[in-house]
Amino acid sequence: MSNRSFGEGGFAGVTPSIPPSAGLCATSDAWNDQQQAALYRKLARHLLPFLFLAFMVAYIDRVNVSFARLQMLGDLKLSDTAYGTGAGIFFLGYFIFEVPSNLILNRVGARRWIARIMITWSIVSGLTMFVNSATSFYVMRFLLGVAEAGFFPGIVLYLSNWFPSARRAQIIAMFMTAIPVSGAVGGPLSGWVMSRLDGMNGIGGWKWLFLVEGVGSLAVGIAALFLLYDRIESVRWLDADEKAFLRDDLARDAAIRVEYSVWRALRSSSVWMLCLAYFCIAMGNYGLAFWMPTIIKASGVASVGNIGWLSAVPSLISAVAMVLIARHADRRNERRRHVAVCCTLGAVGLLASVLGAASVPVALFALVLAAIGINSIAPVFWGIPTALIGGTGAAAAIALINCTGNLAGFVSPFMVGWLSDLSGGKLLPGMGTITAALLLGAGLVLLLPRHREAGGRHALNPTTQS
């Protein structure tokens, strides 16, 4: 497979009219800082709202099982271990098909492939209402992972083809605020659907939950066919000068990244170190996502509707915090220490939420700290590999890091559920393990080799040259 930079073909079609080595400044230097900032704000206004909405419905469909659990376990007579297995088996399908999906997206274009992903997962999500046993629950969760594979890393790669690395952390953060906002929206929505529609037409509230939220994702998936852009040249709201500047700026940004083939990326020791670090980070992310309603319930809140509303508090606060933290990381041009501090804050908050579970205010305050730390990690973390890796290997490396890390999405809920059953329903053993994983992730990120994130060609140290 040939080496190509992000700015040379690829699924976003960013095709620089000037080679990176030849006279880029002729166009770029004519733009002052205010003009450049205005252009990238314009890009953000046109691209981010729909991507935000798409990721929000994706995340709601992924974790709405945490609310369905409050009724489904009793109806289907499932144990916490069975729930944890079903919640996590999503990520096995995700893992197996992630890299192939991202490579296909890189070849056929974001518009068609992301629409395909969304339409497929919405159908699977809606059909989950028909599960009637642990086995059928496992099957539907696995198929949901297969359907969604490639979505998140595809969007990260897509954004890297529109925004240079110096602006990327806060752009990814703005996109990823969809995670906490999905909690703020999905929590109350899930609680309302389950409490208000429970028993309507003889159908349980948790079944209505999968159906209603699946239909919403289907509508967004169809809209993707009309609202996404594969090439700069196809965008009508950019004039010729703006397109020329973008091509030049992105080509210059691509020139400071090391060109990776797919094989070279897959053999890089530093890429695998990033995989392990992201695995630890995702342990915390899914520990919070899949068990926050249970933690709130354990603090003494009985009503499903009230649990939904209270779960929105940490999500909303962390949505603001993650943008501010990412903006600070961009301003300082520093990633490693920001990620490590957020991992530590998330670990402390998650552990405190269980230790303080006897009090609603204490548990909720601790969950706010956990959400700020955990939700703020990924936007800054993804600024590391996307700033360093170029060529066709970038799609493979980003997908590999994401899917390997997301194996934690299987390990985390299964482990917490299993340890909860072993300890008589206690969450402390599982959350203590997740805390340790987050602290390990902080250490691994700090051990990554130092690099120049702007200018120069020192990047990840591959184990072999190709």
Side-chain angles (χ1 to χ4, degrees), residues 280-285 287-288 295 340 342-355 370 374 377 412 415-416 419 427-443:
C280 294
I281 291 166
M283 285 284 287
N285 185 58
L288 180 68
I295 294 171
C342 289
C343 284
T344 303
L345 179 61
V348 170
L350 201 58
L351 185 62
S353 71
V354 179
L355 294 175
I374 290 170
I377 297 169
S412 180
M415 180 196 66
V416 175
L419 291 175
L427 289 175
L428 182 59
M431 292 302 162
T433 305
I434 290 176
T435 296
L438 282 168
L439 295 176
L440 175 60

Side-chain angles (χ1 to χ4, degrees), residues 4-5 28 37 47 53 107 129 152 154 192 221 223 239 286 293 333 343 365 387 399 402 410 426 461:
R4 295 185 304 178
S5 73
S28 301
L47 297 178
L53 176 63
R107 182 176 296 274
M129 69 179 292
F152 174 75
W192 183 87
D239 62 34
Y286 291 110
N333 199 25
C343 284
F365 178 75
N402 188 64
F410 172 76
K426 296 179 181 178
N461 299 321

Side-chain angles (χ1 to χ4, degrees), residues 169-257:
Q170 57 186 308
I171 290 297
I172 293 176
M174 292 170 68
F175 162 65
M176 291 191 69
T177 54
I179 294 178
V181 171
S182 71
V185 174
L189 175 63
S190 298
W192 183 87
V193 169
M194 290 174 63
S195 60
R196 292 298 182 91
L197 301 185
D198 189 27
M200 181 180 293
N201 296 325
I203 300 174
W206 63 272
K207 295 185 177 184
W208 280 112
L209 177 65
F210 288 121
L211 178 61
V212 170
E213 294 182 352
V215 169
S217 294
L218 179 61
V220 178
I222 294 172
L225 289 169
F226 304 95
L227 297 177
L228 288 181
Y229 308 92
D230 284 328
R231 302 180 62 84
I232 285 179
E233 287 75 12
S234 66
V235 176
R236 297 178 180 177
W237 37 264
L238 292 175
D239 62 34
D241 288 342
E242 291 171 328
K243 292 176 181 179
F245 172 81
L246 283 175
R247 286 193 295 267
D248 292 351
D249 201 27
L250 290 164
R252 182 164 54 184
D253 186 61
I256 66 172
R257 289 193 296 260

Side-chain angles (χ1 to χ4, degrees), residues 15-356:
T15 52
S17 56
I18 306 171
S21 61
L24 284 174
C25 61
T27 299
S28 301
D29 287 353
W31 288 64
N32 60 40
D33 291 343
Q34 290 77 13
Q35 290 173 312
Q36 294 181 35
L39 174 58
Y40 284 112
R41 284 196 300 269
K42 182 177 180 179
L43 276 182
R45 286 196 305 270
H46 282 85
L47 297 178
L48 286 183
F50 180 75
L51 296 178
F52 176 93
L53 176 63
F55 193 36
M56 188 176 75
V57 297
Y59 210 79
I60 287 175
D61 278 354
R62 183 185 297 187
V63 303
N64 58 9
V65 69
S66 66
F67 280 91
R69 174 195 178 278
L70 302 176
Q71 294 178 349
M72 185 175 66
L73 263 62
D75 285 358
L76 302 183
K77 296 180 173 53
L78 300 179
S79 66
D80 275 336
T81 301
Y83 162 73
T85 303
I89 206 169
F90 165 95
F91 296 96
L92 293 184
Y94 198 89
F95 173 81
I96 293 169
F97 289 92
E98 179 91 320
V99 173
S101 178
N102 217 36
L103 291 174
I104 294 172
L105 185 150
N106 192 48
R107 182 176 296 274
V108 306
R111 183 179 63 85
R112 286 180 293 170
W113 196 248
I114 289 176
R116 193 285 305 163
I117 289 172
M118 297 191 67
I119 291 170
T120 306
W121 97 52
S122 66
I123 294 171
V124 174
S125 180
L127 291 176
T128 305
M129 69 179 292
F130 295 109
V131 302
N132 55 16
S133 65
T135 301
S136 59
F137 179 47
Y138 299 160
V139 169
M140 295 309 295
R141 290 292 296 178
F142 179 82
L143 291 176
L144 186 65
V146 172
E148 194 179 319
F151 176 77
F152 174 75
I155 297 297
V156 170
L157 188 57
Y158 183 72
L159 289 172
S160 74
N161 281 332
W162 294 87
F163 297 91
S165 57
R167 301 177 185 272
R168 200 169 297 140
Q170 57 186 308
I171 290 297
I172 293 176
M174 292 170 68
F175 162 65
M176 291 191 69
T177 54
I179 294 178
V181 171
S182 71
V185 174
L189 175 63
S190 298
W192 183 87
V193 169
M194 290 174 63
S195 60
R196 292 298 182 91
L197 301 185
D198 189 27
M200 181 180 293
N201 296 325
I203 300 174
W206 63 272
K207 295 185 177 184
W208 280 112
L209 177 65
F210 288 121
L211 178 61
V212 170
E213 294 182 352
V215 169
S217 294
L218 179 61
V220 178
I222 294 172
L225 289 169
F226 304 95
L227 297 177
L228 288 181
Y229 308 92
D230 284 328
R231 302 180 62 84
I232 285 179
E233 287 75 12
S234 66
V235 176
R236 297 178 180 177
W237 37 264
L238 292 175
D239 62 34
D241 288 342
E242 291 171 328
K243 292 176 181 179
F245 172 81
L246 283 175
R247 286 193 295 267
D248 292 351
D249 201 27
L250 290 164
R252 182 164 54 184
D253 186 61
I256 66 172
R257 289 193 296 260
V258 173
E259 295 295 308
Y260 274 61
S261 66
V262 172
W263 182 239
R264 182 182 179 187
L266 296 181
R267 296 183 67 184
S268 167
S269 60
S270 293
V271 167
W272 283 102
M273 191 171 179
L274 284 165
C275 290
L276 180 57
Y278 196 57
F279 178 91
C280 294
I281 291 166
M283 285 284 287
N285 185 58
Y286 291 110
L288 180 68
F290 285 120
W291 295 95
M292 182 159 62
T294 302
I295 294 171
I296 294 173
K297 183 177 181 180
S299 70
V301 181
S303 165
V304 174
N306 289 338
I307 291 172
W309 284 108
L310 287 174
S311 69
V313 176
S315 300
L316 286 174
I317 294 175
S318 67
V320 177
M322 66 192 293
V323 173
L324 296 177
I325 290 170
R327 185 176 298 168
H328 188 265
D330 273 351
R331 188 178 301 118
R332 295 295 183 90
N333 199 25
E334 197 285 321
R335 306 283 183 265
R336 296 157 61 253
R337 290 192 298 274
H338 282 77
V339 169
V341 169
C342 289
C343 284
T344 303
L345 179 61
V348 170
L350 201 58
L351 185 62
S353 71
V354 179
L355 294 175

